[in-house]
Amino acid sequence: QQAQTLDAIAAATTAEAVEAIRVAALGKQGWVSALLKTLGGMSPEERQAKGPQIHAAREAVTAALGARKAELETAALDARLAAEAVDLSLPAPEAPRGSVHPVSQVMDELAEIFADMGFAVASGPEIEDDWHNFTALNMPETHPARAMHDTFYFPDKDAQGRDMLLRTHTSPVQIRTMLKEGAPLRIIAPGRVYRSDSDATHTPMFHQIEGLVIDKGIHLGHLKWTLETFLKAFFERDDIVLRLRPSYFPFTEPSVEVDVGYTLVQGKRVVGGSGDAPGGGWMEVLGSGMVNRKVIEFGGLDPDEWQGFAFGTGVDRLAMLKYGLDDLRAFFDGDARWLNHYGFAA
Ligand code: PHE
């Protein structure tokens, strides 16, 4: 039985098989244990004769079990090491890479262009009060322009009893910056704005950049030069032609809407050249004007001493124009395929 057991141990190929053999030999019901029990019923002489044999058998089986177990463990470890070997010379798999969203990219471009012209960046809260968003911009409570803004209001007023809302434009930053920093000023204020409106060219949240210059002797010529310089830099073309149309905003007087000329190149609208050229046209890109005296007063400044111009433009629309995109909503879908298609993702 000892020879049989030793053969079985040598033939075992798994830890489970070795364990089964151990139980069959050394377990409570095992044959070695049974032999050991017989020792108690033997005469001393008999025990002296058989005892060493039985103990030797137990030792031999125990040693063989331990050796085979160790062998199997070593083999298993070798197999694992071979299977899990890391080849450090292989190139690493490429992980998908993120990229800057086109709107953020355009915001950065604009901030850079205006920084070159000496404009600092200012900001204000997206949750605004009715006074900064409307009243101080020369839109008193009954002003019809308030209704045109499709404003998102909050149900509760603030501590001063002012209606709270999501700002409908970045113009309240004009007021906040004048009140905080005084004059002279040369700032842009990029940020999110909100109106309850949604179609291919409107989303309930969109991005504007406000510009404000307050100084002495500022006139419309400064405004025109600034806008021309900025649009040429942004569209990276020298042949940008602007059309200034008289318009109306409560916070500027006079007010000017600015169109940029485009021409058709292979059926696509490309910014540049006069919009009056055959096949061409004009696209509105900006609202602007000389800051209304009342707004300068609301900003805590004396309008006889300080003058200025202001402008506001939709960042998303500028991005659409520059990159030839046609549905504004795609900007906010977060679809990586769309970003890839337009070359914004890596
Ligand atoms: N706030 C205006 C808008 O959202 C744009 C504007 C800004 C017009 C500054 C004039 C001066 O339409």
Side-chain angles (χ1 to χ4, degrees):
Q1 220 167 354
Q2 180 180 341
Q4 232 177 36
T5 299
L6 292 178
D7 285 348
I9 291 171
T13 53
T14 64
E16 291 77 34
V18 173
E19 175 63 10
I21 295 166
R22 188 191 68 75
V23 172
L26 305 175
K28 267 193 196 145
Q29 321 283 339
W31 63 268
V32 177
S33 308
L35 279 179
L36 284 167
K37 272 182 215 148
T38 62
L39 287 173
M42 288 178 189
S43 65
E45 298 74 35
E46 209 180 351
R47 193 182 299 144
Q48 221 164 31
K50 293 251 174 96
Q53 277 176 33
I54 294 174
H55 282 291
R58 189 176 68 165
E59 233 108 278
V61 170
T62 306
L65 283 169
R68 186 66 190 141
K69 206 175 148 208
E71 262 171 39
L72 287 174
E73 276 170 6
T74 307
L77 184 62
D78 284 348
R80 232 181 91 190
L81 283 173
E84 293 177 8
V86 175
D87 183 349
L88 294 175
S89 70
L90 284 175
E94 207 168 318
R97 231 181 292 168
S99 64
V100 179
H101 191 275
V103 172
S104 303
Q105 193 173 305
V106 166
M107 293 262 226
D108 291 347
E109 285 173 26
L110 293 172
E112 216 169 292
I113 291 167
F114 280 106
D116 285 345
M117 292 196 269
F119 285 68
V121 174
S123 64
E126 288 173 31
I127 296 175
E128 207 22 302
D129 62 66
D130 149 277
W131 186 85
H132 285 93
N133 195 79
F134 291 125
T135 311
L137 290 164
N138 197 31
M139 284 181 268
E141 246 144 73
T142 54
H143 200 286
R146 285 193 176 207
M148 287 159 45
H149 274 218
D150 301 313
T151 312
F152 288 113
Y153 282 97
F154 288 90
D156 299 320
K157 296 180 193 298
D158 74 355
Q160 287 126 299
R162 292 172 179 170
D163 278 325
M164 297 302 285
L165 45 83
L166 291 175
R167 68 178 178 191
T168 58
H169 51 176
T170 42
S171 298
V173 184
Q174 291 186 31
I175 303 296
R176 290 187 175 274
T177 312
M178 281 189 272
L179 287 173
K180 200 168 122 210
E181 293 177 21
L185 278 180
R186 208 186 294 182
I187 55 129
I188 56 163
R192 296 190 175 111
V193 301
Y194 303 83
R195 293 183 201 179
S196 77
D197 206 350
S198 190
D199 58 39
T201 52
H202 298 86
T203 49
M205 184 281 293
F206 57 106
H207 301 83
Q208 286 191 332
I209 279 200
E210 193 81 7
L212 174 69
V213 169
I214 300 280
D215 213 322
K216 293 181 179 175
I218 296 293
H219 55 73
L220 212 54
H222 295 121
L223 169 63
K224 185 170 183 244
W225 180 86
T226 304
L227 297 181
E228 230 164 47
T229 305
F230 133 61
L231 289 167
K232 280 180 182 173
F234 178 70
F235 287 109
E236 298 173 71
R237 294 181 70 124
D238 271 334
D239 64 344
I240 296 293
V241 181
L242 299 188
R243 186 172 76 172
L244 274 57
R245 278 180 293 111
S247 183
Y248 173 78
F249 298 103
F251 32 94
T252 47
E253 184 58 38
S255 299
V256 183
E257 270 178 315
V258 179
D259 301 332
V260 55
Y262 64 82
T263 40
L264 281 186
V265 177
Q266 287 163 348
K268 278 206 148 205
R269 294 178 174 188
V270 174
V271 172
S274 167
D276 292 332
W282 299 96
M283 258 175 297
E284 186 195 323
V285 289
L286 277 160
S288 64
M290 302 306 296
V291 182
N292 192 303
R293 290 175 60 88
K294 285 197 186 145
V295 171
I296 292 182
E297 273 172 14
F298 275 118
L301 300 171
D302 177 358
D304 288 326
E305 190 182 356
W306 301 102
Q307 298 78 42
F309 66 77
F311 57 87
T313 181
V315 176
D316 318 271
R317 288 195 60 202
L318 285 179
M320 288 172 80
L321 277 179
K322 181 162 176 176
Y323 296 108
L325 314 173
D326 48 24
D327 192 334
L328 185 59
R329 289 167 297 194
F331 275 142
F332 309 115
D333 285 346
D335 186 338
R337 289 168 304 179
W338 179 86
L339 292 166
N340 265 317
H341 176 73
Y342 285 102
F344 291 114

